[in-house]
Amino acid sequence: MAVAVAAPDPVVTTSTCAHCKREIPSSNISLHSAHCARNLQKCEHCGDMVPRKHMDEHYDENHAPVNCSRCKQTVEHELWDLHKRMQCPQRMLVCQYCEFELPAVDIFEHQDVCGNRTEYCQPCKKYIRLREWIGHEILLHGKTNDNAESSRSMLENEDGAEEREPAHGFNHKQLLLTVAIAGLAVVIGSILLHKKD
């Protein structure tokens, strides 16, 4: 039985297409160049080669400004996700005290009022503002929601039945996350502001 020995592949020389700037085997360059120039177009926004018949669709899907249905602002496509998540003044945010959803433009005023509401602290036998509740528990009761149950989490009613933790009970991690997100929003906003200048 004879074993066929494959001859080494000849070296393929390539040429660069003047239209798409890709390396094409030299034997196919003239056919490729004619096809490429007739059917493909370079996107002026991203530099991708796109079939001419799909250029409008490519632009609409990848580069066209987006109209925000909430705030009616026109946003560059590249900034759309950031706008939806962090910049739109009409995006819905949850109050950290009552878990009520409000537009971002109204949330700070609402939380200012909502955080001034009070709740009774059983161990201290006094009312504490909701905005001060976590600090109160950490400083006066040595509790964090990570290692001890909140004194607010289980309140006994007159029948001795336990009630669930109120909706505004948030833990230390949530507070830190909220502060971190707000800080990140400020940094991104300042970067974008300097970019426009």
Side-chain angles (χ1 to χ4, degrees):
M1 185 156 123
V3 177
V5 177
D9 289 337
V11 176
V12 177
T13 58
T14 61
S15 299
T16 304
C17 173
H19 191 67
C20 69
K21 307 296 187 226
R22 289 177 32 209
E23 291 295 317
I24 306 298
S26 295
S27 59
N28 297 339
I29 192 68
S30 59
L31 183 61
H32 169 85
S33 294
H35 177 271
C36 190
R38 187 178 322 119
N39 296 310
L40 297 179
Q41 181 177 353
K42 186 173 188 174
C43 175
E44 62 187 46
H45 299 282
C46 65
D48 288 351
M49 295 303 291
V50 179
R52 288 184 188 278
K53 63 183 177 182
H54 298 301
M55 185 54 78
D56 289 339
E57 181 181 328
H58 170 79
Y59 176 78
D60 291 343
E61 289 178 3
N62 298 294
H63 307 295
V66 180
N67 292 319
C68 179
S69 61
R70 292 182 186 256
C71 69
K72 309 300 183 223
Q73 185 177 1
T74 301
V75 181
E76 292 178 38
H77 195 276
E78 295 79 22
L79 301 175
W80 175 240
D81 286 335
L82 178 66
H83 176 80
K84 279 193 309 190
R85 285 183 285 117
M86 301 184 83
Q87 293 178 337
C88 179
Q90 295 300 320
R91 72 189 183 284
M92 297 305 285
L93 296 177
V94 177
C95 172
Q96 61 184 344
Y97 305 113
C98 68
E99 296 186 5
F100 187 74
E101 280 194 8
L102 294 159
V105 72
D106 299 329
I107 195 75
F108 294 112
E109 183 178 337
H110 169 83
Q111 286 185 155
D112 196 35
V113 173
C114 197
N116 279 327
R117 292 185 301 125
T118 60
E119 186 156 315
Y120 190 70
C121 176
Q122 289 286 34
C124 294
K125 306 283 190 241
K126 63 181 181 179
Y127 288 92
I128 307 297
R129 284 185 185 164
L130 295 181
R131 76 173 70 252
E132 298 166 355
W133 192 270
I134 289 179
H136 170 80
E137 282 198 337
I138 291 171
L139 292 175
L140 298 178
H141 302 296
K143 294 181 181 180
T144 65
N145 287 346
D146 294 338
N147 63 13
E149 188 175 294
S150 169
S151 61
R152 292 185 314 148
S153 64
M154 295 295 189
L155 299 172
E156 289 196 5
N157 64 16
E158 296 167 6
D159 301 334
E162 292 180 305
E163 295 179 357
R164 287 181 37 203
E165 182 176 353
H168 55 270
F170 57 94
N171 64 31
H172 187 67
K173 287 181 182 176
Q174 288 173 320
L175 181 63
L176 290 176
L177 179 64
T178 302
V179 170
I181 290 172
L184 182 61
V186 169
V187 169
I188 291 172
S190 66
I191 290 171
L192 292 174
L193 183 64
H194 290 285
K195 201 180 232 185
K196 288 181 180 178
D197 294 342

